[in-house]
Amino acid sequence: MSVQISRVQVEQYPLALGIDESSPRLSWRFSGNSPNWTQKSYDVKLHRSSGTEEFHIDSSQNVLVPWPSKPLAPRESVKVEVKSNGDAGSTEWSTVNVERGLDGGYEWDLISGEAPSHGEDKSQRPFRLRKTFQIDSTTKGRLYITAAGVYEVYLNGKKVSTDLLAPGWTDYNYHLNVQTYDISQYLVQGENCITAWIGDGWYCGRLGFHGGRRSLYGDRMGLMAHLEVEGKRVLSTDQSWQWAYGSIISSELYDGEEYDSSLEEPDWQLASYTAESNWKKVEVVEKPKGEIIISQAPPVKEITTLPAKEIITTPSGKTIIDFGQNFAGVLRFKSNPPSSGTLTIRHAEVLEKGELGVRPLRDCKATDIIHLSKTSMKEWQPKFTFHGFRYAEITGWDGLSLNDIEGVVMQSAMERTGTFECSHPLINQLHSNVVWSTIGNTISVPTDCPQRDERLGWTGDIQVITPTLNFLFDAAGFLNGWMKDTYADQKENKGIVPVVIPNMFQGPKFNPADVDQIHQAHAIWGDVAVLTPEAIYQAFDDEGALRVQLEGAKLWLDKGVRRDSETRLWARDQFQLADWLAPKADPTVPGIGPTDNYLVADAYLIYTTRVCARICAKLNDPDAKRYDQEADKLTELYYHEYVTPSGRVTSDTQTALALLLHFDIFPSKDGSRLKKAMGKRLGELVTRDLWQVSTGFAGTPIILQTLADNDLLHHAYRMLQARDCPSWLSPVLLGATTIWERWDSMLADGTINPGDMTSFNHYALGSVAYFLHAYIGGIRLLEPGWKKVLIKPQPGGTVTSAKVSHISPYGTIKCEWVIEGDRLKVNISVPPNCSARVELPGLEEEVGSGEKTYEVDWVKDERFPPKPVQPGFCATLPDNWVP
Ligand code: BGC
């Protein structure tokens, strides 16, 4: 198959409509398997209203190339065509449309309904907005729209987009995303009607633990919209609109939605409707403080549906639907519920003693209440909430059957780019659990969990999962969008990155102790300012994003990190979350584990400083040298403080050793001897710990990679295949369908961990999937954007075959291997304009694009399974793993 372009993209936008940039960068991906195909030049045609412009550019670059012509004017639409040329022929032309937004020229007011009168104890009732307008033409209709709160918008009764919870969550004090919709198909000549529903969402709704607080960004929710036809404004939100309450009684993210179907008004969304007396004039209120921006992050959408799997009658006689999969989203009715009474739907992730297990939700009702009437409710789903659940307890629907209800899975609609499969069914289930936790925790912002009274943008969680997330999804736009708030909130907090972004723990509304904690400087969490931009750059070759975040990265290291005035290591009176949730820590004090918190924080500091030096060097920033020197100096001090001359580390733990080995923190002299000693000790420690996980947030993401990189692959597989808790497979063996916050979130006896902090959907510990893709599957990037790939499958344990794929900015990379007797058979695929280094037993070669098959001798690793060192004179140690 010849080489073709499979997709042209503008910046990182999923749809380049209403974009911010006047000179957007362009990228294209390839399909096809021509051998050794490289791009020599490319052609671009820009079809503008002034005529077609053609460009021929001699360049091998196909990722984020510069805009070739004069900038786009506000509102200008251009059809872009791209053709790539190689020695072995050219691709066909491929197309993308791009249209610039208004460049800030929105004319609109924030319009709202009634001023809240009940203080902050209750949520604000969602309301409707309505306005009719006349137009002569329906060509090129554009709606620029956003809200203080969340909204759904309709034209002539039709929902304008499939976006959910728009405009999404940003720190509204700094940024507010505007959406642009092509509404041409919904407009009619003559009289039209635009309507909207507004809910309190993240703007006014309750957020935060310990009871949370409401109205964190403002207490007047409302809509801002600007509608144009053929580039001329025909309508804006202003005093002439009307508002009324409707069928939604309340709706909040944590607590759920209450809906009264008898309050539905037919036809209220049509121009022909004559407004009842309950419609009142809107009030123009103060707009959110944040700058209006156009986000490259994909909007939240329904990404798939789940059928109900089973109806369970609980010991107490309740009816529960089991979806067979823990996820984040809502329920949808596929048929009509009874026509009278009230339905109550409670959501939870697990059952305990056969009943809904809601205790882990803490202060979060996660309950939808529906008052029924004769009004049809087919296709009904709540508008402005979501729940994290596998089970839904439904009261009030006699004769409920599996076909009556389905689950709607929500996520910021990133493109899925990575797959993994191997011969071990439980490892496949583990991988599936990681994918589902990643889906459930990328709803508008990267969150810790999607179910309890948090769902917050904990920075440490996303920092450790980013490399894995980038294997699974095209997360460039999503992460770049969130990083804008990271920098804004960090600047506000004097350089310290707050541990949650958006940082809503502001002001007098919260318990001062919580506010103080959130604003403290923590390694690993705050290091997101350096490590996440670097991870985005590596995965997507987005140098621009790196440039945007450079100030934040330096600010963190220069001002944010609280240092000891003498050593410049972390200050000793600064508490660190460090190796958070290490299994041997007291479950009620997850921030104090067996590895010294400062040893962890300082290792991260050295690594982050080194990465910052690399970023500076890449961007020709003169501070590169300063950071490199600082990292050398800190390394010296680190060894003085924590490492004996023979290479024993003061915390003799897996996390401590993994950090030093993985971050390559060694003094210039003696590095290889120390490295060897630490590798050897790590092997001893995992053996001593019976290959059970003993690491927390700092060590878990890297432990298996570190073992593999230090000639301890047999230990890595033994750990991965360990059976008993804490291990990756122990939750899988208990039926987990997502990654849990604690290895024992569910105890072996089927009761929920009694701790106050227990979630069944936390992605952080799922960072093990990096090992699955990169080491078992065998693909890793060697150059930013996957321009060069390392193909090095590392079979081991009892895994006898694996298959991995990743859609990189160049196209799809694949590696598939199987062991047959004493032969290892490998099929690979490298996209056009890329190269790879292939490393297999007894073979190393550099290859260009195309497909290739290898067959090499395979010698089983006789070190597997390593055996426990049995202590004499006492009980025999268990040796449990899943073959
Ligand atoms: C969150 C974590 C987070 C941690 C840090 C928890 O409540 O769920 O994932 O990183 O707090 O303190």
Side-chain angles (χ1 to χ4, degrees):
M1 183 186 151
S2 63
V3 168
Q4 294 302 342
I5 290 175
S6 58
R7 182 187 76 166
V8 187
Q9 190 180 22
V10 179
E11 291 289 339
Q12 310 284 9
Y13 288 100
L15 180 71
L17 183 64
I19 70 165
D20 235 349
E21 295 76 2
S22 54
S23 298
R25 298 167 300 170
L26 302 171
S27 306
W28 49 97
R29 259 187 210 159
F30 298 101
S31 61
N33 54 9
S34 289
N36 300 315
W37 197 94
T38 53
Q39 178 182 292
K40 294 284 176 284
S41 65
Y42 60 88
D43 293 286
V44 179
K45 280 191 213 166
L46 303 181
H47 301 279
R48 307 182 100 144
S49 54
S50 52
T52 297
E53 300 171 0
E54 295 190 31
F55 304 89
H56 177 82
I57 290 133
D58 290 319
S59 161
S60 60
Q61 202 186 334
N62 66 292
V63 178
L64 297 164
V65 307
W67 182 251
S69 177
K70 64 175 188 302
L72 291 165
R75 300 182 178 80
E76 185 179 359
S77 310
V78 175
K79 181 170 140 191
V80 179
E81 284 191 279
V82 179
K83 180 163 75 106
S84 169
N85 313 305
D87 278 342
S90 296
T91 67
E92 303 285 319
W93 290 95
S94 278
T95 309
V96 70
N97 292 318
V98 52
E99 183 176 310
R100 187 146 176 240
L102 299 189
D103 191 24
Y106 312 101
E107 289 174 44
W108 54 27
D109 292 321
L110 176 63
I111 55 169
S112 185
E114 198 171 36
S117 55
H118 48 57
E120 288 185 9
D121 292 345
K122 265 175 73 186
S123 70
Q124 292 196 40
R125 183 169 176 186
F127 60 84
R128 297 173 292 165
L129 290 165
R130 186 172 188 283
K131 167 86 186 159
T132 53
F133 59 100
Q134 293 277 341
I135 47 171
D136 304 328
S137 153
T138 62
T139 335
K140 205 175 172 195
R142 294 288 182 267
L143 180 63
Y144 306 92
I145 184 164
T146 187
V150 280
Y151 72 89
E152 279 188 1
V153 63
Y154 304 77
L155 268 163
N156 299 319
K158 304 230 168 58
K159 200 166 167 228
V160 162
S161 101
T162 53
D163 296 356
L164 299 170
L165 300 174
W169 189 12
T170 47
D171 188 326
Y172 305 118
N173 293 320
Y174 297 100
H175 302 118
L176 177 61
N177 290 334
V178 63
Q179 288 71 55
T180 306
Y181 297 121
D182 178 356
I183 50 165
S184 315
Q185 57 176 312
Y186 305 112
L187 294 172
V188 292
Q189 273 185 8
E191 192 163 40
N192 289 264
C193 180
I194 181 168
T195 55
W197 266 106
I198 308 291
D200 53 9
W202 295 277
Y203 189 83
C204 300
R206 182 165 67 92
L207 291 178
F209 42 80
H210 297 158
R213 292 293 181 274
R214 293 198 165 83
S215 300
L216 292 170
Y217 300 95
D219 63 356
R220 299 301 298 273
M221 57 194 199
L223 188 75
M224 295 193 274
H226 174 127
L227 190 153
E228 296 195 348
V229 173
E230 287 179 29
K232 299 259 163 350
R233 184 173 69 88
V234 294
L235 169 101
S236 290
T237 42
D238 59 20
Q239 275 171 343
S240 65
W241 289 53
Q242 288 191 304
W243 78 273
Y245 291 124
S247 50
I248 307 178
I249 309 299
S250 70
S251 188
E252 264 193 317
L253 294 165
Y254 291 174
D255 288 339
E257 193 155 307
E258 182 174 355
Y259 172 85
D260 187 340
S261 69
S262 71
L263 299 180
E264 277 295 347
E265 274 185 276
D267 302 341
W268 71 273
Q269 296 184 301
L270 304 181
S272 55
Y273 169 83
T274 34
E276 304 280 338
S277 57
N278 54 344
W279 286 85
K280 300 187 191 100
K281 258 188 139 178
V282 296
E283 204 180 314
V284 171
V285 296
E286 199 183 332
K287 294 185 191 124
K289 291 195 219 102
E291 180 196 353
I292 298 291
I293 58 165
I294 290 126
S295 177
Q296 299 190 13
V300 177
K301 291 202 185 271
E302 162 183 336
I303 58 151
T304 188
T305 54
L306 289 172
K309 276 268 167 64
E310 198 190 339
I311 296 186
I312 302 167
T313 304
T314 73
S316 70
K318 299 263 167 43
T319 302
I320 286 183
I321 292 216
D322 176 6
F323 287 91
Q325 174 62 55
N326 196 22
F327 69 103
V330 292
L331 286 190
R332 179 158 58 216
F333 296 167
K334 288 172 72 188
S335 42
N336 261 315
S339 55
S340 66
T342 298
L343 282 184
T344 305
I345 308 176
R346 297 165 69 221
H347 305 75
E349 298 187 294
V350 288
L351 300 182
E352 190 179 35
K353 298 196 179 112
E355 304 287 343
L356 210 63
V358 293
R359 187 177 48 79
L361 304 180
R362 302 194 304 213
D363 193 358
C364 174
K365 292 195 187 86
T367 301
D368 295 335
I369 297 170
I370 300 116
H371 304 287
L372 301 162
S373 69
K374 293 214 166 69
T375 310
S376 170
M377 287 194 64
K378 225 168 160 178
E379 299 299 310
W380 180 89
Q381 67 187 65
K383 283 193 198 313
F384 298 133
T385 190
F386 67 91
H387 312 290
F389 67 108
R390 168 178 167 166
Y391 300 95
E393 181 196 275
I394 304 187
T395 314
W397 189 327
D398 288 342
L400 178 72
S401 80
L402 288 176
N403 288 330
D404 291 332
I405 271 173
E406 64 186 346
V408 175
V409 181
M410 290 159 65
Q411 185 198 15
S412 287
M414 296 179 278
E415 180 189 6
R416 174 80 190 268
T417 50
T419 63
F420 169 87
E421 213 185 303
C422 73
S423 59
H424 199 296
L426 294 187
I427 296 176
N428 290 341
Q429 182 62 46
L430 171 68
H431 186 266
S432 163
N433 296 359
V434 178
V435 173
W436 277 99
S437 280
T438 309
I439 293 173
N441 282 299
T442 45
I443 294 183
S444 195
V445 301
T447 54
D448 54 338
C449 56
Q451 77 297 79
R452 69 180 178 218
D453 53 353
E454 281 196 67
R455 315 182 189 191
L456 305 176
W458 283 95
T459 52
D461 304 45
I462 184 64
Q463 191 275 103
V464 299
I465 198 76
T466 300
T468 309
L469 173 66
N470 288 342
F471 250 126
L472 294 171
F473 291 95
D474 176 353
F478 176 78
L479 291 170
N480 281 333
W482 178 78
M483 288 297 311
K484 279 191 185 170
D485 277 345
T486 308
Y487 181 46
D489 285 345
Q490 177 195 6
K491 264 204 309 203
E492 170 71 27
N493 196 30
K494 303 191 181 75
I496 296 174
V497 183
V499 287
V500 299
I501 306 284
N503 173 19
M504 21 55 74
F505 282 96
Q506 310 260 26
K509 295 183 179 220
F510 284 97
N511 166 356
D514 287 342
V515 175
D516 181 54
Q517 285 298 321
I518 298 293
H519 290 82
Q520 298 274 328
H522 285 275
I524 305 178
W525 277 253
D527 288 325
V528 77
V530 182
L531 301 182
T532 297
E534 164 72 4
I536 301 170
Y537 166 65
Q538 289 296 336
F540 306 104
D541 198 6
D542 191 347
E543 200 180 304
L546 212 51
R547 205 173 288 285
V548 170
Q549 294 300 332
L550 177 64
E551 283 312 307
K554 288 167 127 192
L555 188 62
W556 167 242
L557 287 173
D558 296 347
K559 297 237 169 69
V561 171
R562 272 202 59 224
R563 297 171 188 262
D564 178 277
S565 54
E566 253 172 60
T567 63
R568 293 192 49 78
L569 290 165
W570 273 97
R572 290 321 195 232
D573 58 353
Q574 173 64 56
F575 175 69
Q576 294 288 338
L577 294 163
D579 201 23
W580 179 252
L581 276 174
K584 284 182 188 150
D586 177 335
T588 60
V589 195
I592 302 183
T595 313
D596 173 10
N597 289 23
Y598 299 106
L599 178 150
V600 172
D602 288 336
Y604 249 92
L605 178 59
I606 294 169
Y607 178 62
T608 304
T609 309
R610 196 70 80 191
V611 172
C612 193
R614 271 208 314 258
I615 296 176
C616 289
K618 173 77 213 161
L619 301 178
N620 292 322
D621 184 287
D623 279 335
K625 203 164 157 210
R626 173 167 72 88
Y627 289 118
D628 254 334
Q629 285 170 346
E630 169 109 332
D632 290 343
K633 179 94 194 302
L634 293 176
T635 304
E636 239 176 72
L637 289 162
Y638 193 93
Y639 271 75
H640 175 75
E641 184 79 14
Y642 302 115
V643 190
T644 69
S646 66
R648 286 298 279 268
V649 184
T650 50
S651 288
D652 190 25
T653 62
Q654 294 182 31
T655 292
L657 292 165
L659 287 171
L660 289 169
L661 288 163
H662 183 73
F663 290 160
D664 201 19
I665 300 176
F666 292 102
S668 48
K669 260 204 327 216
D670 244 8
S672 62
R673 179 183 62 81
L674 291 164
K675 194 170 172 184
K676 242 177 144 175
M678 288 185 202
K680 186 163 172 276
R681 182 63 186 153
L682 184 59
E684 289 164 6
L685 289 183
V686 292
T687 308
R688 186 198 66 188
D689 291 330
L690 298 173
W691 299 279
Q692 281 169 297
V693 177
S694 78
T695 46
F697 261 46
T700 305
I702 56 173
I703 184 67
L704 297 187
Q705 301 170 53
T706 310
L707 289 167
D709 291 341
N710 288 277
D711 195 27
L712 300 167
L713 187 66
H714 55 305
H715 284 295
Y717 273 95
R718 177 61 183 77
M719 258 190 111
L720 179 63
Q721 293 188 237
R723 194 194 70 182
D724 297 337
C725 184
S727 71
W728 278 284
L729 295 188
S730 58
V732 175
L733 286 163
L734 288 177
T737 59
T738 37
I739 298 294
W740 298 349
E741 180 173 26
R742 298 173 184 265
W743 305 99
D744 59 352
S745 282
M746 181 66 87
L747 304 180
D749 65 2
T751 57
I752 299 169
N753 188 307
D756 170 51
M757 201 188 72
T758 296
S759 127
F760 293 87
N761 203 352
H762 253 67
Y763 53 27
L765 302 181
S767 42
V768 67
Y770 186 90
F771 178 82
L772 307 186
H773 285 251
Y775 288 74
I776 302 185
I779 57 171
R780 252 182 287 171
L781 64 79
L782 286 179
E783 284 176 24
W786 296 84
K787 174 81 179 152
K788 186 163 183 188
V789 187
L790 172 66
I791 299 192
K792 185 182 177 183
Q794 300 190 46
T798 56
V799 178
T800 53
S801 66
K803 218 169 148 169
V804 68
S805 73
H806 177 69
I807 305 174
S808 77
Y810 291 84
T812 305
I813 302 157
K814 287 189 195 155
C815 177
E816 188 174 345
W817 59 262
V818 60
I819 295 170
E820 283 174 11
D822 56 1
R823 306 292 282 167
L824 172 65
K825 298 181 179 173
V826 185
N827 290 322
I828 66 161
S829 180
V830 178
N833 213 24
C834 268
S835 66
R837 188 163 81 228
V838 181
E839 290 185 19
L840 300 173
L843 182 147
E844 259 189 59
E845 68 168 357
E846 304 277 326
V847 297
S849 71
E851 291 179 354
K852 243 183 137 171
T853 300
Y854 298 88
E855 203 176 311
V856 293
D857 284 340
W858 174 249
V859 183
K860 190 175 169 293
D861 186 349
E862 292 301 340
R863 299 174 303 173
F864 186 88
K867 288 281 163 204
V869 179
Q870 295 294 352
F873 310 110
C874 48
T876 310
L877 294 176
D879 184 16
N880 297 326
W881 55 287
V882 190

